[in-house]
Amino acid sequence: MELGRLLLLQVFCAALDAGTTWLMWSRIDISVVLARIAGAFLAAILIVLFCRRAPEFRGIGRFLATSISLTCLLVSYGIFALLMLRNPVLQWPLAFAAASGASLLLSWIGYWRARQGRVSG
């Protein structure tokens, strides 16, 4: 159940990030990589607020859940920026989906490793 809640937070933040990126890219007409910074910033705020207000994660603490989520967000942005800067003909929603999928996988692995460390430590 705790893993589901953490992954649901990641999916919701990715949706917020994608929506913000699309709005800034289409309405303000700035680079999609720069528009993604604003989306990632809003997602980071949501992660911190949710993890501070959420009930204690049974498997891992709030601090560890927040750090896993923020690390995954940074990795997602890094993969996205790398894909967009190295492949200029690539459509940004495809790069966003690839980066978000990798981020979800990393989040699952991070949560699993954090649980293993808590159980054996």
Side-chain angles (χ1 to χ4, degrees):
M1 179 60 188
E2 300 296 321
L3 175 63
R5 193 169 69 176
L6 193 66
L7 289 179
L8 187 63
L9 172 67
Q10 294 290 328
V11 168
F12 185 73
C13 287
L16 175 70
D17 190 1
T20 306
T21 301
W22 177 77
L23 279 174
M24 293 198 63
W25 176 71
S26 66
R27 300 292 184 225
I28 301 176
D29 197 32
I30 60 174
S31 168
V32 72
V33 176
L34 293 176
R36 175 90 198 270
I37 289 175
F41 183 70
L42 284 177
I45 290 172
L46 182 70
I47 287 170
V48 170
L49 290 177
F50 179 79
C51 288
R52 286 187 70 201
R53 303 268 181 187
E56 186 72 27
F57 288 89
R58 275 182 272 148
I60 59 176
R62 287 185 186 129
F63 176 76
L64 205 51
T66 305
S67 62
I68 289 170
S69 298
L70 289 177
T71 301
C72 291
L73 182 66
L74 287 174
V75 167
S76 175
Y77 178 77
I79 291 172
F80 176 79
L82 183 66
L83 284 172
M84 290 306 298
L85 294 175
R86 298 293 289 166
N87 302 313
V89 295
L90 185 65
Q91 296 293 317
W92 76 266
L94 183 61
F96 186 86
S100 295
S103 175
L104 280 175
L105 179 65
L106 180 65
S107 179
W108 178 74
I109 291 170
Y111 181 82
W112 179 74
R113 289 288 298 153
R115 292 254 333 190
Q116 296 298 321
R118 289 287 179 141
V119 171
S120 64

